[in-house]
Amino acid sequence: MDVSAINQSTTSAATQAASGKLAESFDTFLHLLVAQLQHQDPLQPTDTKEFVQQLVQFSQVEQQIGTNSSLDKLLQFQSTGQTAAAINYLGSTVEANGNTVPLQNGKAEFTYALPEQATGTMIVLSDSSGQVVYSAPGETAIGKHSFVWDGQDANGNQLPDGNYSLTISARNADNNAIEAPTSILGRVTGIESTTDGA
């Protein structure tokens, strides 16, 4: 069972870097302010409006960085929640749209749907190099059809577990190609957290 760890997002790292730069800039600003106040002419004191404006700007930037940090934490919690919810799928068989068929323990299951009556249907499975390893005629009736492949090629040799590409070729009475959506069935063996979710 492979459950990948959730990595800290790049946005969180950027927030931490921005916070560090702000702290350094604010320290520098305070040193300059103190130095300027120490060396100002008592008869012509420095106008404090500019100092106040800069302090307000620092405060606004600090609040924005704080907001970004809070949002980063919320996103991390959401990602953790998605992964925790996905753990319930471990060991379960799921169906998903796609044409990459997983051969697991010498068995692969998939479905295809015909939106209209076909005069002929051909099921073709290819390996990762694109070489056809299995082909067989399929159903021609309208509707959804299931197929279980035993993982053997045309010569009866057992092929290794892995992913195989599925193509359904079907034609109607006018000899036009029929688009047949496919979905694959497989057992969940691991959870991976990506930018698109678990």
Side-chain angles (χ1 to χ4, degrees), residues 16 18 28 63 74 82 97 116 123 138 147 154 156 174-176 183:
Q16 290 176 355
T28 304
Q63 287 177 357
L74 283 173
Q82 287 178 345
N97 293 333
E116 59 179 297
I123 299 168
F147 191 88
D174 297 326
N175 202 30
N176 294 324
S183 58

Side-chain angles (χ1 to χ4, degrees), residues 6-27:
I6 299 172
N7 295 325
Q8 188 175 25
S9 66
T10 54
T11 53
S12 178
T15 300
Q16 290 176 355
S19 182
K21 286 181 182 177
L22 178 68
E24 289 176 17
S25 299
F26 191 65
D27 286 343

Side-chain angles (χ1 to χ4, degrees), residues 127-192:
D127 61 17
S128 58
S129 65
Q131 181 180 353
V132 174
V133 294
Y134 178 84
S135 62
E139 301 290 337
T140 57
I142 298 174
K144 187 174 183 179
H145 306 284
S146 299
F147 191 88
V148 179
W149 177 44
D150 59 8
Q152 294 184 0
D153 63 14
N155 299 321
N157 300 316
Q158 187 64 43
L159 297 173
D161 284 0
N163 292 328
Y164 293 84
S165 297
L166 168 66
T167 304
I168 303 293
S169 299
R171 297 206 167 266
N172 61 17
D174 297 326
N175 202 30
N176 294 324
I178 300 173
E179 188 173 339
T182 58
S183 58
I184 53 100
L185 285 85
R187 188 171 59 86
V188 179
T189 58
I191 306 297
E192 181 178 351

Side-chain angles (χ1 to χ4, degrees), residues 14-172:
T15 300
Q16 290 176 355
S19 182
K21 286 181 182 177
L22 178 68
E24 289 176 17
S25 299
F26 191 65
D27 286 343
T28 304
F29 169 76
L30 288 178
H31 282 95
L32 288 172
L33 174 62
V34 170
Q36 190 168 358
L37 289 174
Q38 287 174 343
H39 297 92
Q40 70 179 340
D41 184 352
L43 300 175
Q44 292 180 337
T46 305
D47 187 3
T48 58
K49 287 181 183 176
E50 188 175 342
F51 292 143
V52 172
Q53 276 184 339
Q54 288 178 342
L55 282 170
V56 169
Q57 287 174 351
F58 271 112
S59 176
Q60 289 174 340
V61 171
E62 187 177 22
Q63 287 177 357
Q64 192 169 8
I65 290 174
T67 301
N68 288 348
S69 178
S70 297
L71 287 173
D72 288 342
K73 289 177 183 175
L74 283 173
L75 288 172
Q76 287 176 3
F77 287 141
Q78 183 181 14
S79 179
T80 302
Q82 287 178 345
T83 303
I87 287 175
N88 294 327
Y89 288 104
L90 285 172
S92 302
T93 299
V94 296
E95 181 175 353
N97 293 333
N99 62 351
T100 301
V101 179
L103 181 63
Q104 297 172 319
N105 299 321
K107 178 183 176 184
E109 297 180 71
F110 56 88
T111 66
Y112 60 96
L114 295 174
E116 59 179 297
Q117 180 74 31
T119 55
T121 303
M122 185 63 68
I123 299 168
V124 179
L125 289 160
S126 307
D127 61 17
S128 58
S129 65
Q131 181 180 353
V132 174
V133 294
Y134 178 84
S135 62
E139 301 290 337
T140 57
I142 298 174
K144 187 174 183 179
H145 306 284
S146 299
F147 191 88
V148 179
W149 177 44
D150 59 8
Q152 294 184 0
D153 63 14
N155 299 321
N157 300 316
Q158 187 64 43
L159 297 173
D161 284 0
N163 292 328
Y164 293 84
S165 297
L166 168 66
T167 304
I168 303 293
S169 299
R171 297 206 167 266
N172 61 17

